[in-house]
Amino acid sequence: AAKTGAGGWARFVPAMDASAVEAARLAAGLRDGLGRGDFRVVYQPIVTLPEQRIAGVEALVRWHDPERGLIPPDRFIPVAERSGLIVPLGRWVLREACGQAAAWSAVYGGAAPSRVCVNVSPRQLDEPDFVDDVAAALADSGLPAEYLVVEVTETAVFGGGRAVEALHALRALGVRVALDDFGTGHSSLGLLLTCPVDILKVDKSFVDGVTEPGDRAVIVEFLCQVARGLELDTVAEGVEDAAQAARLHELGYRKGQGYLFARPLPAAELADLLLAALAP
Ligand code: C2E
Ligand code: CA
Ligand code: CA
Ligand code: CA
């Protein structure tokens, strides 16, 4: 505050920059959208290599704002995390995905994806009620815990807090844990010793370079050897062409996910794929 000529106190409020204004607007929109039910979940297949059988799906949230149209998660998830809205939004995604997976399994039996992977943000993992929420989502949907995978990032578990404890509790329920975007965070391989992990998802930025000799290809191969040595399942993310898929299989990757196999799809379209797989 500064003394003004008139004898009053003028307060200097730092000007809100355009991105802060936009973030505040998005946060308000998110709150309304949650109330109105403007969110949907789409499902991207995770396939076995080399057979390309659908082994699982990743649930990815979509926001259809009535005025702004489709807003990509890369724009609203960070805002949802900072505002805390990721907690109710993430809880909704989890319940939706569990319900959907239970329905597929009832209709398609063995041809249904045997895993549904749900992204969990650091903020959710740190919530004291998180494990109870997961247990309730499983109980209410009737989905066996073994069908659920929580995807967490290295940063989420590196920060300490309740995260690692929560992951142990989830595993005790039978839920699997995947380390997402592996290789992009600032942690070390030591994380694999302290954090309970079942699945390693290697980030697209590494997969992109797998067919050209170079540093990226070396890292993709090395990460697969580490994962296999530790008896972790491996998923290569962002696979876009057949040459990458072939090379990843050669290197020992068990599963792949990417536009080559399928884009994220609404539940009804994924069901069409499952039907096609059932057909003789
Ligand atoms: P992610 O968890 O790494 O999810 C994979 C992203 O890569 C998805 O983007 C997917 O559509 C995209 N993708 C898959 N295959 C390919 C490919 O072959 N090429 C390219 N270029 N992209 C591919 P999406 O759906 O836009 O989601 C972006 C990020 O938003 C996710 O990255 C995740 O971090 C976050 N997110 C999405 N849904 C949720 C959610 O329900 N909860 C939380 N906490 N985060 C979410
Ligand atoms: Ca993910
Ligand atoms: Ca990822
Ligand atoms: Ca990512």
Side-chain angles (χ1 to χ4, degrees):
K3 196 90 165 115
T4 62
W9 293 90
R11 303 214 304 136
F12 291 99
V13 180
M16 269 176 108
D17 59 31
S19 67
V21 172
E22 174 61 8
R25 217 177 266 143
L26 274 179
L30 270 172
R31 199 169 295 114
D32 297 343
L34 256 175
R36 267 197 311 261
D38 291 343
F39 294 87
R40 294 286 175 274
V41 178
V42 289
Y43 299 89
Q44 186 176 33
I46 297 172
V47 305
T48 58
L49 297 176
E51 306 84 358
Q52 303 195 10
R53 184 180 56 78
I54 298 177
V57 291
E58 178 174 1
L60 295 157
V61 69
R62 294 291 177 263
W63 180 16
H64 297 270
D65 183 78
E67 276 150 36
R68 280 168 289 198
L70 187 68
I71 303 169
D74 287 335
R75 273 189 62 210
F76 70 81
I77 294 287
V79 175
E81 279 172 352
R82 279 195 298 274
S83 62
L85 286 166
I86 192 69
V87 174
L89 176 62
R91 192 184 293 126
W92 178 79
V93 171
L94 175 73
R95 301 188 72 89
E96 188 73 16
C98 288
Q100 189 58 67
W104 280 326
S105 143
V107 176
Y108 300 101
S114 49
R115 298 265 195 283
V116 61
C117 308
V118 177
N119 291 286
V120 171
S121 88
R123 187 78 175 247
Q124 287 175 274
L125 259 190
D126 209 38
E127 278 287 298
D129 293 339
F130 181 67
V131 178
D132 290 344
D133 285 349
V134 173
L138 291 170
D140 292 348
S141 63
L143 188 75
E146 292 69 26
Y147 282 56
L148 179 65
V149 177
V150 296
E151 296 198 358
V152 300
T153 56
E154 295 159 273
T155 25
V157 279
F158 207 57
R162 262 184 284 262
V164 173
E165 200 185 311
L167 294 180
H168 278 291
L170 287 174
R171 262 177 132 210
L173 293 176
V175 174
R176 307 285 204 288
V177 176
L179 262 191
D180 200 2
D181 302 340
F182 195 74
T184 59
H186 296 282
S187 59
S188 72
L189 290 171
L191 196 65
L192 297 175
L193 295 174
T194 52
C195 174
V197 184
D198 304 282
I199 303 156
L200 213 60
K201 295 192 80 173
V202 175
D203 193 66
K204 178 178 192 306
S205 56
F206 295 110
V207 170
D208 281 343
V210 74
T211 49
E212 299 127 48
D215 297 350
R216 277 168 202 278
V218 170
I219 292 174
V220 178
E221 180 169 11
F222 168 74
L223 290 178
C224 191
Q225 283 169 5
V226 171
R228 286 166 53 122
L230 297 175
E231 295 178 352
L232 307 179
D233 200 6
T234 42
V235 180
E237 299 193 278
V239 183
E240 292 185 344
D241 63 59
Q244 289 172 340
R247 183 72 186 130
L248 288 161
H249 169 59
E250 247 171 43
L251 293 178
Y253 281 85
R254 306 265 313 271
K255 298 192 176 87
Q257 178 180 358
Y259 295 170
L260 172 67
F261 312 116
R263 301 223 165 210
L265 300 168
E269 286 176 44
L270 193 99
D272 291 342
L273 285 187
L274 298 178
L275 258 181
L278 267 184

